[in-house]
Amino acid sequence: CGGRSEQTASYSVIPLPQEVKEGSGEGFHLTASTRIAYPAGNEALKNDAELLAGYLRQMTGHDLKVTDSAPASDVILLRDDLGGANPEGYVLTVGDASIEINGSSAAGTFYGIQTLRKSIPQAAQSNVLFPPVTITDEPRFAYRGAHFDVSRHFFPADSVKSFIDMLALHNINILHWHLTDDQGWRLEIKSRPGLTELGSKRGGTVIGHNSGQYDSIPVEGFYTQDEARDIIKYAADRHITVIPEIDLPGHMLGALKAYPYLGCTGGPYEVWQQWGVSDDVLCAGNDSTYKFIDDVLAEVVDIFPSEYIHVGGDECPKTRWAACPKCQAKIRELGLKADSHGTKEEKLQSHVIHHASDFLASKGRKMIGWDEILEGGLAPGAVVMSWRGEEGGKEAARRGHDVIMTPNSYLYFDYYQTLDRENEPIAIGGYLPVERVYSYEPLPADLTPEEAAHIKGVQANLWTEYIPTFAQAQYMELPRMAALAEVQWSKAPKDYKAFAGRMPQMIAHYDANGYNYARHMFNVAGTLTPDSVSHAIMLELSTVD
Ligand code: NAG
């Protein structure tokens, strides 16, 4: 085998495939002469084949040839004609002469590729023996999301692509891209140039937990529409859909800075240098606000091909609206009354969200919002993202709406990973060790099967108030993203010890990619340590690579 050593693959990967059946025979020897073949004319599989070649180069040093004329042996064969109800399902068969990955669609093939790639235990200049096997696999949930806040801190396009690579490694198929907030507007909107000219810049950032002191270090940055399209394509090539979020009517200081007439008081407003919930929000009594929403969403829909567009809806205080003559006039004009569904200001928020939803529907799109969109009445067909626990999600499911579960107590990756406050980088608060993420069960036991069918999936969120660098974003994501992946994908009963045992091989992939991760979550053998282990021990272990 060309004088190279040979490592043996292990199918104990993350997320755990649904069924792994040992085959007979010797297995497949991957060497420099192995070919990767795709059906002639199949562009999607050609792209998948090239990605596979890249992954294999990274783990073995071999630069395998990609071809559309399949040799009889020594070949990794990609197909997408498996059939089957789940478009993301695949069968991976390893024999002596070939490996075949057949998906129900190119996406299914891509997940078979991920499994194959992750079965290589370490990055080395080596051949690989893949033991004979048949793996039959498909995801538990169709929506497997990860959210990335690029407003509180800006991350350049290359970092977003690296984030997308991390998602691919974890079989995640949705990037929820949080593009706007009080601390910065990050997407070019041609009809409103002020959004990025003024709204994407702040003069500094509060030090620590809203200490009242500021660092005076400017933070700025935004994505041009071309850059956004390039990122969407990069994600699509990895079978990932980008869902943009324009957070409204609260969390809007970025926009108010540029267009103060959109606020109830008329401003002036500043791009916020601190964290939390601002009283200043879009004025819901002003016709220009509705025009603004339409104009922004029109461009968003033009850039992003996703079926769903996220319009936020979270944390919109009603103080300004209660005192604003225009908002009160609007409430009268619409005949909004307080009732068991909410106050009249909450009804007004519901009116704004209905407006956005109707606009998106007119463009053939559907709306997602945070669970606050339940207040004052849900827009028809709205998808609810349940973040303040699961209650909002359960209520929405009972009313027949689709739901994405992202309860903060299990899936907010901006929370601390350990109890060690001295040596962990500063975080927003909370305590969310990887074991707790792993323990999350997205289908609440008290829903009927019909209601539970509305829970379309699971997502973890990365808010970046306390995450100024991409290396730290990786640190907060990893290894928790591995636990998330198993919650999203695997149907097998949970077994944390077994999961921890599969982690070292995953870490080899983190290392091969140069990802930063929370090393002190692992002991020398690479097994996850319970957080009760004293920090002294963890620190000592973290120095062992
Ligand atoms: C919430 C806010 C978010 C903030 C995060 C921090 C949602 C939907 N809203 O207060 O803006 O960054 O928590 O954990 O999460």
Side-chain angles (χ1 to χ4, degrees), residues 14-16 18 140-141 390 410-411 434-443 458 480 482-500 502:
I14 293 174
L16 189 65
Q18 313 304 355
R140 180 179 181 200
F141 291 101
E390 293 186 309
Y410 286 93
L411 295 166
V434 60
E435 188 165 2
R436 184 170 166 84
V437 177
Y438 186 77
S439 74
Y440 182 59
E441 168 48 48
L443 299 186
V458 189
R480 290 186 287 198
L484 170 71
E486 210 131 298
V487 171
Q488 292 172 326
W489 184 280
S490 302
K491 298 181 189 175
K494 295 281 184 51
D495 180 342
Y496 182 72
K497 258 188 117 173
F499 165 76
R502 289 194 297 279

Side-chain angles (χ1 to χ4, degrees), residues 326-374:
K326 283 188 187 169
C327 289
Q328 292 304 314
K330 191 68 157 182
I331 285 171
R332 283 193 299 276
E333 177 197 322
L334 297 168
L336 303 179
K337 304 240 159 19
D339 63 19
S340 60
H341 295 295
T343 65
K344 45 193 198 351
E345 282 79 19
E346 283 171 351
K347 293 288 181 64
L348 186 57
Q349 152 131 350
S350 171
H351 172 74
V352 175
I353 299 290
H354 271 74
H355 177 91
S357 173
D358 289 348
F359 182 83
L360 291 173
S362 77
K363 301 281 180 190
R365 307 301 178 90
K366 296 178 184 154
M367 188 192 80
I368 309 190
W370 301 108
D371 56 54
E372 286 93 332
I373 66 170
L374 280 153

